[in-house]
Amino acid sequence: MKNIYTNKGFMMVVIAAVMFFQSCNQPTDNKETLKKTAKTARVEVPALLDKQPGIGNPVEQQSILTTYNGLKSTISKDQKDLKSRLMMAKVFMQEARLTGEHGYYYPAALTMIDGVLAETSNNPDYHFLALSLKATVLLSLHQFNEALEVGKQALALNSHNAYIYGVLVDANVELGHYKEAVKMSDKMVSIRPDLRSYSRISYLREIHGEVDGAIEAMKMAVAAGYPSYEETAWCRLTLGKLHETYGDLPNAEMQYTLALQNRPDYPFAIAALAGLDMKKGNYEAAEDKLKQACALIPEVSFYEQLIKVYQETGREELAEKTLEEVFAMMADDEAHGHMMSLEYAKLHLDITHDYDKALEYALKEYKARPDNIDVNKVLAAIYLEQNNYSKAQEHVAKASVTNSADPKLLSIAKDVKNKNG
């Protein structure tokens, strides 16, 4: 139950599993290697949770269930079927994205992955696959330094795989290593120009202030995907967010609407349309949409938007009650390995207005990744609220190193400059 890891992942479970395994040097089932593997405890496969109605279309749901049951049966019959165990981990990773039940599915995925890692020290092909998937889960848990290290271990085993370069793009972006992220992105797109590589190019262009280029690349990502797939809907949503962030609300609304048309009941598109309703002052429509989205998946950001609706309409009691739910959801995420400091900082900055608490959490995040421009932007905003303009300017400078055109950052920079006067 957490904010999903933005611009990461993007794979439908069955197609993604096939593409990932085919994109690698196909592992050979080295019988001699497997014979030498130490005997391990019996592999227990976690169950699938029941989904809320509306999560994915019936064909997709049946495909996931069929894949899960088939893999579980195979693993039960052959505990040494490493490929099936890793494909099962991918099922759990995709279910985390689809259902929002991250606290259940990411540990389930790691259980499968770590089991394979323990058995493949002498099998570099499967060890690479397991490391690649583990790095992806660590990214989703916001354990960015750990994800980078695991990703590097995977790269040392296979430097010809597009997927691992995508992992390294993401880890380097989150840690603020932007030049390295660009290098990894160039490698990725040269190996496999597709939805996943185009979306990362888009994000890197936006970071460097190339907004038109970012929009162009995200359009390419959308065009490269199947319209009804979750990965394509996510790219279209991100395209809409680009339009919205830089002031083109009509095109943003069009993209969110198209995402819903192609993937009915897509909760993130519903919540995005609610955000546009809030900007128009149509709080009743926004509330209806947000409640619909919250009923589909337990996504923290939906509840945070709902709190803002309650605050804007003078319903403080409902706002406080919903805030308690958000804190409980975030605590559950933390208990399952998700690093939440930046999320707490933003919550206290934007909703509770407890700037001391916001600063406490933001500094904790800053210690872990001091070069990330988003972390520095949040710190600048907090210091601005605390009237500490010299510190605010310090972090504005760090947040501006990539020449980002983010309107919020530019607004903070302008306010700081005026205050410093």
Side-chain angles (χ1 to χ4, degrees):
M1 294 180 284
K2 65 182 69 124
N3 294 4
I4 67 170
Y5 186 54
T6 55
N7 92 305
K8 312 297 189 286
F10 299 135
M11 293 172 290
M12 287 307 298
V13 59
V14 179
I15 298 297
V18 172
M19 288 177 63
F20 183 37
F21 283 97
Q22 287 181 343
S23 68
C24 306
N25 292 331
Q26 194 70 10
T28 56
D29 292 322
N30 189 321
K31 294 181 180 179
E32 291 305 314
T33 298
L34 293 179
K35 284 180 181 178
K36 295 177 182 177
T37 302
K39 188 174 182 180
T40 57
R42 183 169 182 81
V43 177
E44 296 294 337
V45 178
L48 287 183
L49 301 178
D50 291 335
K51 284 192 181 75
Q52 291 290 337
I55 296 295
N57 60 60
V59 173
E60 177 184 285
Q61 289 189 31
Q62 185 58 50
S63 176
I64 292 171
L65 183 60
T66 299
T67 300
Y68 170 83
N69 287 334
L71 290 172
K72 185 176 181 180
S73 176
T74 299
I75 294 167
S76 177
K77 294 173 184 175
D78 182 2
Q79 298 283 292
K80 295 298 185 182
D81 190 332
L82 303 178
K83 182 176 180 179
S84 292
R85 286 159 64 180
L86 290 178
M87 291 182 73
M88 183 65 83
K90 290 188 69 64
V91 170
F92 294 141
M93 291 161 67
Q94 186 63 20
E95 284 293 89
R97 285 179 58 83
L98 291 175
T99 68
E101 295 291 352
H102 302 162
Y104 178 82
Y105 280 118
Y106 285 135
L110 285 175
T111 296
M112 304 303 296
I113 294 166
D114 287 339
V116 172
L117 283 173
E119 298 177 38
T120 56
S121 58
N122 295 319
N123 189 323
D125 292 327
Y126 278 117
H127 208 67
F128 165 78
L129 296 176
L131 287 170
S132 300
L133 293 181
K134 182 165 186 173
T136 303
V137 175
L138 291 172
L139 284 170
S140 297
L141 295 172
H142 292 194
Q143 297 181 27
F144 302 123
N145 283 289
E146 295 85 349
L148 180 61
E149 290 309 310
V150 173
K152 287 179 177 178
Q153 292 173 34
L155 183 65
L157 295 174
N158 185 346
S159 61
H160 304 287
N161 178 268
Y163 185 96
I164 193 57
Y165 285 109
V167 168
L168 292 171
V169 170
D170 299 339
N172 280 295
V173 163
E174 296 298 344
L175 293 171
H177 306 162
Y178 300 109
K179 289 183 179 179
E180 187 65 18
V182 171
K183 290 179 184 178
M184 296 297 101
S185 178
D186 288 344
K187 286 278 191 179
M188 183 183 189
V189 75
S190 70
I191 296 170
R192 196 177 191 86
D194 61 3
L195 177 149
R196 290 171 289 170
S197 53
Y198 293 144
S199 63
R200 286 173 170 88
I201 290 171
S202 175
Y203 190 49
L204 285 167
R205 286 179 177 176
E206 184 195 3
I207 285 171
H208 289 88
E210 302 171 16
V211 178
D212 290 342
I215 290 172
E216 178 186 3
M218 194 56 72
K219 285 181 178 178
M220 293 171 67
V222 171
Y226 292 94
S228 65
Y229 282 9
E230 189 269 346
E231 57 180 349
T232 312
W234 180 251
C235 287
R236 192 176 287 283
L237 178 84
T238 307
L239 176 59
K241 288 292 183 183
L242 279 168
H243 286 303
E244 181 179 353
T245 298
Y246 297 95
D248 188 350
L249 300 189
N251 263 322
E253 184 172 9
M254 179 181 72
Q255 295 301 330
Y256 301 151
T257 302
L258 283 171
L260 267 180
Q261 288 175 355
N262 291 326
R263 189 174 175 85
D265 293 322
Y266 185 51
F268 294 97
I270 295 169
L273 287 169
L276 294 182
D277 285 332
M278 291 171 68
K279 288 183 176 181
K280 299 172 186 176
N282 192 346
Y283 295 111
E284 184 177 352
E287 182 177 347
D288 288 343
K289 290 184 178 71
L290 288 169
K291 287 180 176 178
Q292 181 185 352
C294 289
L296 289 167
I297 65 171
E299 166 63 28
V300 167
S301 65
F302 301 166
Y303 288 85
E304 289 177 338
Q305 284 180 269
L306 197 55
I307 291 170
K308 291 178 182 178
V309 169
Y310 293 146
Q311 289 176 334
E312 291 293 332
T313 54
R315 291 176 287 173
E316 290 299 329
E317 187 175 337
L318 275 173
E320 288 295 325
K321 182 179 178 181
T322 307
L323 181 61
E324 290 176 7
E325 293 179 43
V326 167
F327 278 128
M329 293 166 70
M330 294 173 73
D332 180 70
D333 285 344
E334 281 192 302
H336 291 93
H338 185 72
M339 309 303 290
M340 300 290 290
S341 295
L342 188 60
E343 285 74 14
Y344 275 114
K346 290 178 178 179
L347 180 68
H348 288 298
L349 172 63
D350 297 329
I351 293 179
T352 72
H353 307 298
D354 184 338
Y355 302 122
D356 290 338
K357 273 289 184 186
L359 182 60
E360 176 187 336
Y361 283 111
L363 287 174
K364 184 177 179 181
E365 191 74 19
Y366 180 75
K367 184 177 180 180
R369 45 188 186 133
D371 297 321
N372 179 273
I373 59 175
D374 291 325
V375 174
N376 280 283
K377 180 175 71 174
V378 170
L379 274 167
I382 295 168
Y383 281 124
L384 180 62
E385 293 291 349
Q386 293 181 323
N387 301 321
N388 189 339
Y389 306 125
S390 62
K391 291 295 290 184
Q393 180 56 48
E394 174 187 329
H395 289 286
V396 163
K398 292 200 72 172
S400 304
V401 294
T402 61
N403 298 313
S404 169
D406 178 9
K408 188 171 182 179
L409 174 60
L410 297 180
S411 176
I412 294 169
K414 182 179 178 181
D415 289 344
V416 171
K417 183 178 180 180
N418 290 338
K419 296 292 185 179
N420 278 330

